[in-house]
Amino acid sequence: MNTEKSQLLFEKSRNIIPGGVNSPVRAYKSVGMTPPFIKSAQGSKIIDVDGNEYIDYVGSWGPMILGHAHPEVVSEIKRACEDGTSYGAPTEKELMLAEIIIDAVPSVEMVRMVSSGTEAVMSAVRVARGFTGRDKVLKFEGCYHGHSDGLLAKAGSGLLTTGVPDSAGVPADYVKNTIVAPYNDCDELENIFKRYANDLAAVIVEPVAGNMGVVQPKEGFLALVRELTLKHGVILIFDEVITGFRVSFKGAQGYFEIEPDMTVFGKIIGGGMPVGAYGGRKEIMSVISPIGPVYQAGTLSGNPIAMAAGIKTLEILRDNPHIYKSIEEKAVELEKALLDSSKQYGIPLKVNRMGSLLSGFFTGEDVTDLKTAMKCDVEHFRKYFRNMLQSGIYMAPSQFEAIFVSSAHGKEDIEKTISAVDYAFSKL
Ligand code: PLP
């Protein structure tokens, strides 16, 4: 595989962009490689500057659920561009996207658009604090909620893979109100509530964790989170940046039939454009400026091009519910291929799958939280990843991320991926 141009670009970038990348996991550090620089993407394929074509299971880290450059989405984006790219003023498109979200997700009665998942989470936490008049926030180990200071307490995702346990530059004071609990641990949750219930403004959770690899909530875990938060007047925030409109059109909350007080959405609601949103009960959302005392603002919030891409993406998902079934079926095939190869070549592997999201963990132990995820043999993952890439399969360069299947993945893509899995395992 020729990677000359990518290597050259990476070298140049490293001089003027920290690590050569604008988000750390992209640097391929944890797999000991230099990243392909991407030139274009279409459907299920992504193409690098050296002309290598890959089947893409990153999907821009989730949002490309319809595949890349979906013709209807692109056409809406083009049309929106012709009307001007930003006004910093209210538009009908913002209202349309808000209505689609509110219709899909019953717990959301009001929604505010922002430009990233980080911004959405940060704002939701501020609202929860403003609404309750309390300061403490509980998050779970291995869940990632963006890079705002208060939530960079033992965050997962990019930080895990670059081997930095926490971030420098976050003052201890900023995280002193952040409590970190193990995911899926009901006893510890009860203990924390016994101690802090009356100080907690919010509990924030990925209802299916996607940032320590995919980890499903254990039976009863989310129900207990809901029960305790309700009992003590704590705002329950579901971070559905990964699961929203992905696990089902109603998100993970629709799937598990648990209603949080607030929900955070991200990239998927912008169809790949920079968008995030946070919403919840009207009573809670009414504390936000200009109607309430909690300040939050954004020049590019509700950007018309991003809204156009988001509206079309969500409309297609809403009007074609079979998409969810078909992407899940493809994920099931991949899950089976991984497990078959693990058995055939005697390499310990556990697969966690939730709908069209899955992770293969190189460990013989069930992965239910960060501690068990960290038991993975990352050297096996590294080798596996390199062999997959060589075979033209583009996955997240980290053991602790998900594979995202899209509606653009065809039968041939899945067959080619299954052969690549077999080859990669045969080389381990
Ligand atoms: N929350 C979750 C669950 C995420 O997975 C991410 C990013 O992947 C974020 C928040 C932050 O979103 P963004 O990268 O758009 O800031």
Side-chain angles (χ1 to χ4, degrees):
M1 186 188 290
N2 183 11
T3 58
E4 213 175 304
K5 282 191 188 161
S6 281
Q7 293 202 22
L8 199 68
L9 290 175
F10 191 52
E11 277 313 308
K12 279 186 168 177
S13 298
R14 282 208 291 199
N15 284 327
I16 53 172
I17 300 173
V21 290
N22 284 314
S23 200
V25 71
R26 296 179 198 169
Y28 275 41
K29 201 169 166 186
S30 68
V31 287
M33 296 174 77
T34 56
F37 272 53
I38 302 305
K39 185 164 184 211
S40 66
Q42 187 78 47
S44 61
K45 308 292 190 314
I46 193 161
I47 298 160
D48 71 18
V49 287
D50 290 288
N52 302 304
E53 184 182 281
Y54 311 88
I55 300 170
D56 178 21
Y57 290 102
V58 179
S60 188
W61 305 87
M64 311 321 296
I65 189 167
L66 302 175
H68 293 284
H70 188 286
E72 286 179 65
V73 177
V74 170
S75 142
E76 285 304 312
I77 292 172
K78 282 185 179 160
R79 202 174 330 180
C81 285
E82 280 161 15
D83 289 337
T85 52
S86 180
Y87 324 120
T91 65
E92 191 175 359
K93 285 197 179 75
E94 292 165 283
L95 173 64
M96 285 167 71
L97 187 57
E99 280 174 339
I100 296 173
I101 294 170
I102 286 167
D103 285 347
V105 185
S107 70
V108 176
E109 295 172 348
M110 262 189 169
V111 62
R112 172 68 62 92
M113 304 295 167
V114 292
S115 298
S116 72
T118 297
E119 203 187 340
V121 170
M122 184 184 83
S123 309
V125 167
R126 185 179 302 148
V127 167
R129 286 177 164 145
F131 181 78
T132 56
R134 302 170 179 176
D135 287 343
K136 292 207 185 302
V137 170
L138 170 63
K139 80 173 282 284
F140 296 95
E141 218 174 13
C143 288
Y144 177 66
H145 302 291
H147 65 91
S148 65
D149 284 336
L151 292 163
L152 276 185
K154 280 196 191 170
S157 198
L159 287 186
L160 268 184
T161 54
T162 49
V164 184
D166 210 337
S167 175
V170 174
D173 267 5
Y174 284 36
V175 289
K176 77 169 191 233
N177 284 313
T178 311
I179 299 166
V180 183
Y183 197 73
N184 270 331
D185 187 335
C186 292
D187 292 341
E188 187 57 22
L189 186 64
E190 303 224 41
N191 285 339
I192 289 172
F193 263 81
K194 269 186 204 139
R195 190 153 170 211
Y196 294 112
N198 296 330
D199 302 323
L200 277 174
V203 172
I204 183 161
V205 63
E206 284 185 82
V208 176
N211 285 287
M212 48 182 152
V214 175
V215 175
Q216 299 98 322
K218 275 186 184 166
E219 181 80 38
F221 174 65
L222 292 178
L224 180 66
V225 176
R226 180 65 287 190
E227 184 193 316
L228 291 171
T229 45
L230 266 182
K231 188 168 162 196
H232 297 282
V234 180
I235 304 293
L236 174 57
I237 307 173
F238 271 10
D239 181 344
E240 296 232 37
V241 167
I242 298 287
T243 53
F245 299 96
R246 161 69 68 177
V247 165
S248 82
F249 192 66
K250 295 177 175 186
Q253 58 193 274
Y255 184 90
F256 294 113
E257 297 184 339
I258 292 182
E259 284 205 350
D261 303 299
M262 297 186 77
T263 304
V264 173
F265 298 101
K267 35 205 165 188
I268 197 165
I269 65 158
M273 300 290 287
V275 182
Y278 64 102
R281 291 208 318 273
K282 216 171 228 176
E283 177 197 12
I284 299 170
M285 294 297 286
S286 299
V287 302
I288 301 167
S289 180
I291 46 175
V294 174
Y295 192 69
Q296 183 272 313
T299 302
L300 293 175
S301 296
N303 172 269
I305 300 164
M307 294 298 103
I311 292 165
K312 185 44 80 182
T313 300
L314 296 192
E315 278 176 350
I316 293 173
L317 290 171
R318 181 192 64 199
D319 300 340
N320 297 278
H322 64 269
I323 286 177
Y324 288 99
K325 187 164 173 276
S326 90
I327 53 178
E328 172 155 22
E329 282 165 4
K330 288 178 255 185
V332 168
E333 284 188 62
L334 296 179
E335 177 182 23
K336 184 173 175 312
L338 283 163
L339 292 173
D340 286 351
S341 293
S342 148
K343 204 165 155 199
Q344 185 175 347
Y345 297 102
I347 309 281
L349 183 91
K350 290 281 174 181
V351 179
N352 283 352
R353 186 185 61 77
M354 183 77 210
S356 60
L357 291 172
L358 73 154
S359 295
F361 294 95
F362 284 93
T363 169
E365 219 177 285
D366 287 343
V367 176
T368 56
D369 57 14
L370 185 65
K371 210 164 90 200
T372 42
M374 294 310 281
K375 290 191 176 162
C376 287
D377 184 337
V378 288
E379 194 45 50
H380 262 154
F381 177 82
R382 256 178 227 136
K383 285 190 197 145
Y384 164 76
F385 174 84
R386 276 184 219 151
N387 288 328
M388 291 295 277
L389 196 68
Q390 283 292 333
S391 303
I393 311 298
Y394 185 85
M395 301 182 308
S398 159
Q399 169 70 93
F400 307 105
E401 300 284 355
I403 283 175
F404 294 92
V405 180
S406 81
S407 64
H409 288 108
K411 200 167 179 298
E412 249 179 57
D413 293 326
I414 300 298
E415 277 165 10
K416 192 173 167 201
T417 310
I418 291 172
S419 307
V421 168
D422 181 78
Y423 172 77
F425 271 81
S426 76
K427 295 282 172 196
L428 288 179

